[in-house]
Amino acid sequence: MGGYGDRIIAVHQSNMGGCAARNRGLQCASGEFVKFLDADDYLALDSIAVQCRHSSRDGIGPLIVHYQDAQWIDEAGDVIVTDMPQSGATGHNQDFANSVAWVVRHSPLTSCPLHRKVLLDSVGGFDVRVPRSQEQDLHIRLALTGVQFVQLPGVGYFYQQHHSEGRVSNDKTEATLGGMLEACRRHLVLARVKFGANLPSVLAEAFGERLWRLGRLATRAGLPDLGTECFLEAYSVSPSNKMVSGSGIYRAAVSTVGAINAEKVGMLFAKLRR
């Protein structure tokens, strides 16, 4: 184990998924801070030092979680130029609704934040019912308790991409995508407890966008019934149509033939362009 010696403790359990493994690690952790890291990814050399320094600084409140952004790399470790958005900069002292909406839209990846163990314990850690996008689920639940995510400069985490269909991030089964929908519904329940039945517009639009993206993902995965369920939920949360993101042609198609048919047309054009 390099120069760490007996400071590294290996904990074994039967394979129950990533969420259960991280929760076991959280249960065993005794320090103030926790950093999650999968075996195929790695951190920048100074990332933990930088994040610890800021998180331990005088005047930083206990509901602040610092993070740095991620860099996508391939299996050889080479940088991937990607159109996937970075998390986007934010700072503390945002109002509550904007802070939660920001996390709904821009949740950092699992290994980006340096978490405070007490905050993770307070929300029960990762939800084993959410095998995909589990970090977004965790971060939204934290945000709804008042936690603010504050971005520090630089890349702190290198996220390795694989082309294996067995990867959880590629799982588009009905069980997995349906689990993501149920997680979003649980978030909405929590949000309405905090903000009332009529959510602030910025938060309603953020949840609407999330549900709409999930509807598109489900429809393109060959699950139109689940897609319809997501689209209808999006409309119920944010009836203004602002959550319908995409090109002008796509938005016009949604207005003309509906969300499901717009996705089918889009998939047909994508096949014709190949």
Side-chain angles (χ1 to χ4, degrees):
M1 298 268 186
Y4 291 98
D6 59 5
R7 294 164 64 191
I8 301 292
I9 301 173
V11 179
H12 300 275
Q13 68 178 21
S14 59
N15 185 358
M16 296 180 286
C19 290
R22 295 185 185 104
N23 286 341
R24 179 68 185 279
L26 177 61
Q27 183 182 31
C28 296
S30 59
E32 180 180 0
F33 297 109
V34 174
K35 170 73 79 170
F36 297 104
L37 183 66
D38 290 344
D40 55 344
D41 303 326
Y42 60 92
L43 301 175
L45 287 176
D46 63 347
S47 115
I48 291 181
V50 168
Q51 292 178 19
C52 277
R53 186 165 62 249
H54 281 82
S55 296
S56 302
R57 193 176 59 197
D58 290 342
I60 294 297
L63 294 182
I64 299 295
V65 171
H66 290 95
Y67 73 98
Q68 291 170 290
D69 234 321
Q71 174 65 64
W72 277 253
I73 57 174
D74 62 21
E75 293 178 71
D78 296 323
V79 170
I80 297 173
V81 178
T82 175
D83 59 359
M84 293 184 71
Q86 298 296 317
S87 297
T90 185
H92 60 290
N93 297 326
Q94 297 185 88
D95 72 73
F96 190 17
N98 274 287
S99 180
V100 177
W102 182 90
V103 176
V104 173
R105 289 187 169 110
H106 305 291
S107 173
L109 294 175
T110 306
S111 296
C112 290
L114 181 70
H115 284 289
R116 296 176 185 270
K117 176 174 165 56
V118 66
L119 298 180
L120 294 174
D121 288 339
S122 73
V123 296
F126 288 90
D127 189 335
V128 296
R129 296 171 294 180
V130 188
R132 179 174 172 176
S133 297
Q134 66 272 2
E135 74 273 35
Q136 184 182 39
D137 169 71
L138 173 68
H139 296 161
I140 291 172
R141 287 187 285 118
L142 284 168
L144 284 166
T145 68
V147 171
Q148 293 194 17
F149 289 78
V150 177
Q151 185 177 24
L152 302 174
V155 170
Y157 162 56
F158 293 86
Y159 181 40
Q160 191 172 85
Q161 300 297 289
H162 302 274
H163 299 292
S164 168
E165 285 299 317
R167 281 174 62 87
V168 172
S169 56
N170 295 327
D171 187 346
K172 300 175 184 176
T173 61
E174 185 169 10
T176 293
L177 299 186
M180 293 169 66
L181 173 59
E182 290 306 313
C184 192
R185 285 171 169 161
R186 290 193 291 272
H187 299 154
L188 284 167
V189 170
L190 293 173
R192 285 167 175 145
V193 169
K194 295 287 186 179
F195 295 96
N198 295 319
L199 296 178
S201 59
V202 65
L203 191 53
E205 289 168 14
F207 276 118
E209 289 169 13
R210 182 177 173 222
L211 286 159
W212 194 270
R213 288 195 300 271
L214 183 56
R216 297 193 70 178
L217 181 62
T219 304
R220 284 176 281 177
L223 301 167
D225 290 343
L226 180 59
T228 298
E229 202 172 347
C230 294
F231 291 135
L232 291 175
E233 190 89 42
Y235 277 123
S236 72
V237 174
S238 180
S240 67
N241 280 357
K242 290 185 179 180
M243 72 282 185
V244 183
S245 59
S247 67
I249 294 175
Y250 172 73
R251 293 195 299 272
V254 170
S255 298
T256 304
V257 299
I260 296 294
N261 287 329
E263 291 301 323
K264 290 179 179 178
V265 171
M267 288 188 288
L268 177 61
F269 275 116
K271 286 183 180 179
L272 293 175
R273 285 198 298 268
R274 291 173 187 166

